[in-house]
Amino acid sequence: MQSILARFKQQNARLRMYLKELEPSGAANAPVFKALDDFDRELSGVHLDARLPQEVTGMFTDFTTMRERNVREQVAGGKTGPTGTDSVEIFGYINHLKNCDAQVQWCLFMPDVVKHQQAGFKVDDFDYKQMPSMRFIGVDDSLFQSDTDEEYYEKKKASLKNVTSTLNALTEYKSGFDHDVWFGHHFGRGVEVEPGHGFWGRFMKADTPVPEGFMHFDFTSEYVDKPGLPYLSKFALATFSGGIDAMHDDEGTDGGRMYDVTRNIILGQGVGIPYPDKYWIAEVFLDGFDKPSTAYMFSVVL
């Protein structure tokens, strides 16, 4: 364990030295230095994450505690926890360090990856938003499931006209982000546990009355320490222009071009994504459901 910590520290020091040499040329992505600072802080044990168990914290003051099996489990791999739980306490300190290392790697390489992913379209604007508490109101995409694609699109087209008409009538409950969206999430669980669920609708003010036949999901500006709802009303918003087909191509992607580019910009800037506990995404139809989506929302921790 001591050799692992030493290796990480040596790696960070060498990388920082090389990046400092590159910094005047602009070749070093600035967020990587914060990622290195955070990583070094965790390696020192001076400012350990509050979720780390006492056994891990104690290791830094008395390394002989590593003789105890329970301490080794916490440090190396952690104890088995509920499926989909993503906490340091469950998965262990070593995995926590791996995440810190991954953050450094993302800050190093993602900016270049994002450039190559914009083939046939481009990012026009990218920003982080922090909204007050709000409520998504919409209908489940599963309502449109049909035997043929043609039948699916016909059912969806007719239903979305009703969705738009109904939500337009709620004029006093506008949230300030008043675009039609397709909202997706996993109910606060990992993708390997809970498949994605999609809903068509709009973000409204908190506590907006829910029309009959509609579903709702609540968002808050303050973190609630439990998986799933309420989600955070904090997100990255990317807007795109260019070829619609290129923008919506999903071949070889994790979730489509707009998804991948938005996520990778976030990772390259060293901003946290609350996966899986508070993770959600949304395609934004800036010109309404009648036109293709050209913007993307991605949940973040600010």
Side-chain angles (χ1 to χ4, degrees):
M1 182 61 194
Q2 285 175 313
S3 65
I4 291 173
L5 294 174
R7 187 165 70 248
F8 273 136
K9 289 178 180 178
Q10 184 181 40
Q11 164 194 293
N12 286 1
R14 183 177 298 174
L15 180 59
R16 189 187 297 273
M17 179 183 69
Y18 292 148
L19 290 171
K20 282 294 184 183
E21 291 179 2
L22 291 171
E23 191 174 18
S25 70
N29 183 28
V32 74
F33 293 107
K34 180 182 182 302
L36 284 168
D37 290 342
D38 292 343
F39 197 177
D40 287 340
R41 192 160 51 242
E42 297 297 341
L43 288 168
S44 70
V46 172
H47 183 63
L48 289 172
D49 190 298
R51 295 172 298 169
L52 287 171
Q54 285 186 328
E55 290 88 347
V56 176
T57 307
M59 174 196 70
F60 283 94
T61 55
D62 182 6
F63 199 79
T64 61
T65 59
M66 284 288 286
R67 297 191 181 113
E68 300 174 21
R69 181 183 180 87
N70 181 57
V71 176
R72 292 198 302 275
E73 287 178 345
Q74 292 283 7
V75 170
K79 298 180 289 187
T80 302
T83 306
T85 301
D86 185 21
S87 70
V88 176
E89 187 168 332
I90 295 298
F91 285 103
Y93 182 55
I94 291 299
N95 281 347
H96 182 49
L97 295 183
K98 284 169 59 180
N99 289 338
C100 292
D101 186 52
Q103 186 65 69
V104 172
Q105 302 294 327
W106 290 329
C107 289
L108 282 172
F109 302 118
M110 281 305 182
D112 193 54
V113 170
V114 167
K115 289 179 184 177
H116 289 90
Q117 287 178 323
Q118 297 175 66
F121 69 100
K122 66 185 180 73
V123 177
D124 279 342
D125 189 59
F126 184 91
D127 198 9
Y128 296 102
K129 307 287 187 182
Q130 181 164 328
M131 298 288 290
S133 295
M134 57 186 184
R135 168 172 285 176
F136 172 85
I137 296 178
V139 297
D140 194 329
D141 181 66
S142 65
L143 295 174
F144 313 140
Q145 297 307 311
S146 307
D147 293 333
T148 66
D149 288 345
E150 182 178 346
E151 185 180 353
Y152 166 81
Y153 287 115
E154 284 301 314
K155 288 172 68 175
K156 186 178 78 170
K157 183 178 180 180
S159 180
L160 291 185
K161 284 185 178 179
N162 176 60
V163 169
T164 300
S165 175
T166 301
L167 296 179
N168 281 344
L170 299 174
T171 54
E172 63 184 295
Y173 297 104
K174 288 185 176 182
S175 67
F177 190 89
D178 306 314
H179 302 291
D180 293 341
V181 304
W182 175 90
F183 165 63
H185 67 134
H186 299 270
F187 288 101
R189 303 183 184 96
V191 64
E192 74 285 349
V193 177
E194 184 74 29
H197 300 269
F199 305 86
W200 303 85
R202 199 175 294 167
F203 291 102
M204 312 296 292
K205 282 184 179 179
D207 302 320
T208 297
V210 181
E212 185 177 354
F214 284 67
M215 303 181 68
H216 75 280
F217 301 96
D218 288 331
F219 295 72
T220 178
S221 58
E222 299 299 325
Y223 185 81
V224 177
D225 192 15
K226 68 172 184 175
L229 297 167
Y231 292 127
L232 292 170
S233 56
K234 304 174 183 181
F235 54 90
L237 176 64
T239 57
F240 302 87
S241 65
I244 294 297
D245 289 341
M247 204 180 298
H248 287 268
D249 178 32
D250 61 5
E251 185 177 353
T253 70
D254 292 327
R257 298 293 173 197
M258 291 194 295
Y259 173 101
D260 281 18
V261 168
T262 306
R263 178 201 60 192
N264 292 344
I265 292 174
I266 296 168
L267 294 176
Q269 294 182 354
V271 175
I273 294 172
Y275 179 87
D277 290 4
K278 302 294 182 182
Y279 165 86
W280 61 271
I281 53 174
E283 285 189 45
V284 185
F285 297 77
L286 296 174
D287 298 312
F289 285 132
D290 291 339
K291 301 288 179 63
S293 60
T294 54
Y296 215 90
M297 304 168 74
F298 213 115
S299 52
V300 295
V301 179
L302 298 177

